Amino acid sequence: MSYANSRIPSSAQQGVHENLARLVERHLREPFRKPYADYNRAAFEASLAGWDGRAPLILDAGCGVGHSTIQIARAFPDHWVIGVDQSADRLERRKPYPDALLPRNMVFVRADLVDYWRLLHDAGLRLARHYILYPNPWPKIGHLARRWHAHPVFPWLAKLGGVLECRSNWQVYIEEFALALGMAAGRPVAWERFEAEVPLTPFERKYRDSGQALFRVGCDLGGGEAAGQASHSTSGVQQ
Ligand SMILES: C[S@@+](CC[C@H](N)C(=O)[O-])C[C@H]1O[C@@H](n2cnc3c(N)ncnc32)[C@H](O)[C@@H]1O
C-alpha cells in the first residue's frame, strides 16, 4: 500500500458493539488479577529512574516510534513524559532529531500496557495527561475484548486520572471508548471529529494525508479515583 493510500478499518460492525456496555460493567465490577511479568516491573522502574518525584506525569500509551512522545515532552517541559510500547523495534527506530536535540524530560520503555497501567496505579501514582493515540482498532466483531475500552484493564485507565485523550481513524472505536469512559467516570463523555493540522504521530500523518476523517475523545478525569467529578476536554497538546 502506498503512503497516502491508507484505509479506514473495514468492519462488519457499523456502530457501538451490542455487548460493550455489559462487558465494561463486568470489568468495572470484577477485579483483574493477572500477575505482573518481571520485564514489566523492570520497565516500570526504568521509566521512573530519571523522574525527580515531583514533575507531573504524562503517559503516551502505545507510543510506537515515539514521535508523539517527543512533541508532548516539548509542549510540557515541566512534566515527566513516558512513552510506552510493546515493540522494541518501533521504539528503537531512528528519531527525527539527533540525540542531543531530544528533550530531557522524557523516557521510552518497552512494556506491556496491561501491566504498566496497573503498576503505575499500585505505586500510588496519578497522571496529569494520558494519550492513547491510534491504538490497534481490532475491527472484527469477535475481537471486541481486544480493544482497550473492552479489556479488563480498562478501569485502571480511568483510575489513573488526568486528561485522557484517545484518537482513532475508526469512528466506532471512539464512540465505544467514549461510552466506556463515561461508564467509568460516572458521567457522559463527548467525542468529536477533528482536523490534525500538525500531526502528532506517524499514523495520524498517514491517515490525514490519505484524506481520512479523524476522531478523538477526551475527558479530564481529575485525581483519578474520584473520576465521577470529571469534566470534558479535548485540548490535545496545546497548553
Ligand atoms: C497503530 S500503532 C500506533 C502507534 C502510535 N501511537 C502512532 O500513532 O503512530 C499501535 C501501537 O500500540 C502498541 N501496542 C499494542 N498493544 C500494546 C500493549 N499491550 N502494550 C504496549 N504497547 C502496545 C503497538 O506496538 C503499536 O506500536
Side-chain angles (χ1 to χ4, degrees), residues 4-34:
N5 191 22
S6 117
R7 297 211 193 103
I8 301 165
S10 85
S11 176
Q13 193 191 321
Q14 295 302 312
V16 169
H17 198 293
E18 60 180 5
N19 294 337
L20 179 67
R22 205 166 36 228
L23 200 56
V24 175
E25 212 170 73
R26 197 173 82 210
H27 293 153
L28 289 170
R29 206 176 48 235
E30 290 176 1
F32 177 46
R33 295 209 178 93
K34 182 175 178 279

Side-chain angles (χ1 to χ4, degrees), residues 36-51 53 57-59 80-85 91 107-127 156 160:
Y36 297 127
D38 287 344
Y39 84 94
N40 289 322
R41 286 185 193 277
F44 174 71
E45 295 300 328
S47 71
L48 297 176
W51 180 46
L57 297 173
I58 301 181
L59 178 63
W80 181 248
V81 185
I82 306 166
V84 174
D85 204 280
L91 287 171
V107 65
F108 292 112
V109 289
R110 179 183 168 254
D112 183 346
L113 286 160
V114 173
D115 283 5
Y116 190 87
W117 275 316
R118 291 179 298 146
L119 285 162
L120 269 178
H121 181 263
D122 285 4
L125 298 174
R126 297 296 177 266
L127 299 172
W156 275 264
L160 286 169

